[in-house]
Amino acid sequence: MSNHLSVATEGDTAKDVDLAERLPKTTQTADSSQSANKEPKGITAPISARGTILVGLAVVATTFFGAGVWASTAPLASAVNAPGTVFVAGKRRTVQHLEGGIIKELHVREGQEVDAGELLITLDPTQANATIMRLRNQLDTQLALEARLNAERNGDETLVFPDELLDRADDPKVSQILTGQRQELDERRKTLVGTVELLQQKILQLDRIIDGLRDRLRMGFAWV
């Protein structure tokens, strides 16, 4: 456009030159503005995700709420049995006797604080006493048996029981045990004596047979 301008006067030439210098800048500025206003093809403006997030949260909340309502109100047609253990919270400790028994008296209440060595319960001694008597009877029997066997081994005619039994000879059970062992010793002694006598008789019979054979042997030699 500036190439077709004609120069008439000096004043006009200055204006035209100034206009010619301004025209490219104005055209370049307009082109830049148009380029800036044009959007690139294939690129879209970003879409806000706030709505999608809110919808997702609403769906999740509705699902969990519905599941909770169904689980608390829906009847169950069946159930699964499983073993379990219930633990008491706190510092409570289970008190149990080593061998068990029947509680006769309880000296504390549940949850009460106790000190070391304090009496908690008293067991009924009936079962324990019965066990002690049974074991004591077995021990007395074995002691009396030992005394009888020693007497038989040594050939003694009388039994010598330990002082542990003689001190309780007034006890009916102990007296019965001692009497039984004395009778056993007498009977076994009689049996032993009878066996010895029988063997001695057999020895005499064998001696007689031997003597007879010897006599016949001498008589045989005499005939020769």
Side-chain angles (χ1 to χ4, degrees):
M1 180 176 180
S2 60
N3 293 334
H4 297 284
L5 293 176
S6 61
V7 179
T9 61
E10 183 177 358
D12 296 332
T13 301
K15 293 179 181 180
D16 293 338
V17 172
D18 184 50
L19 180 61
E21 290 177 356
R22 293 179 179 179
L23 282 175
K25 295 181 180 180
T26 304
T27 304
Q28 184 177 2
T29 303
D31 294 339
S32 300
S33 299
Q34 293 177 358
S35 299
N37 294 330
K38 292 181 180 180
E39 295 180 357
K41 296 181 179 181
I43 299 176
T44 58
I47 301 175
S48 176
R50 181 178 181 182
T52 305
I53 295 174
L54 293 177
V55 172
L57 292 177
V59 172
V60 172
T62 302
T63 302
F64 279 99
F65 179 75
V69 172
W70 176 84
S72 60
T73 58
L76 296 178
S78 61
V80 178
N81 296 326
T85 304
V86 178
F87 292 96
V88 181
K91 297 182 180 180
R92 297 181 181 180
R93 296 293 182 269
T94 302
V95 178
Q96 184 176 1
H97 190 261
L98 180 61
E99 298 178 356
I102 302 174
I103 297 177
K104 180 180 180 180
E105 186 177 358
L106 186 63
H107 302 281
V108 294
R109 64 179 183 276
E110 184 178 0
Q112 177 181 344
E113 295 184 0
V114 296
D115 299 329
E118 183 177 352
L119 182 62
L120 304 180
I121 59 176
T122 301
L123 297 179
D124 188 359
T126 303
Q127 182 178 358
N129 291 337
T131 303
I132 292 175
M133 293 299 295
R134 177 174 56 84
L135 296 177
R136 188 71 210 183
N137 188 30
Q138 293 178 0
L139 178 60
D140 294 340
T141 302
Q142 295 301 319
L143 291 174
L145 177 61
E146 181 183 9
R148 179 179 63 80
L149 294 176
N150 290 332
E152 291 181 1
R153 181 194 60 187
N154 299 330
D156 299 335
E157 296 181 358
T158 58
L159 280 175
V160 179
F161 293 107
D163 296 336
E164 184 178 355
L165 294 177
L166 296 177
D167 294 340
R168 295 184 292 113
D170 296 336
D171 188 348
K173 293 184 178 180
V174 175
S175 178
Q176 183 179 359
I177 292 174
L178 299 181
T179 302
Q181 292 300 324
R182 290 191 181 100
Q183 293 176 355
E184 183 73 15
L185 178 63
D186 294 337
E187 292 177 358
R188 290 178 65 87
R189 179 174 295 280
K190 292 178 180 179
T191 302
L192 179 61
V193 171
T195 303
V196 171
E197 292 178 353
L198 180 62
L199 292 175
Q200 288 177 351
Q201 291 178 2
K202 288 183 177 181
I203 291 173
L204 292 175
Q205 291 177 0
L206 292 174
D207 290 339
R208 292 173 183 175
I209 293 173
I210 292 172
D211 292 339
L213 292 174
R214 288 176 179 175
D215 293 338
R216 293 178 61 181
L217 185 60
R218 291 194 199 97
M219 292 175 62
F221 281 115
W223 283 99
V224 175

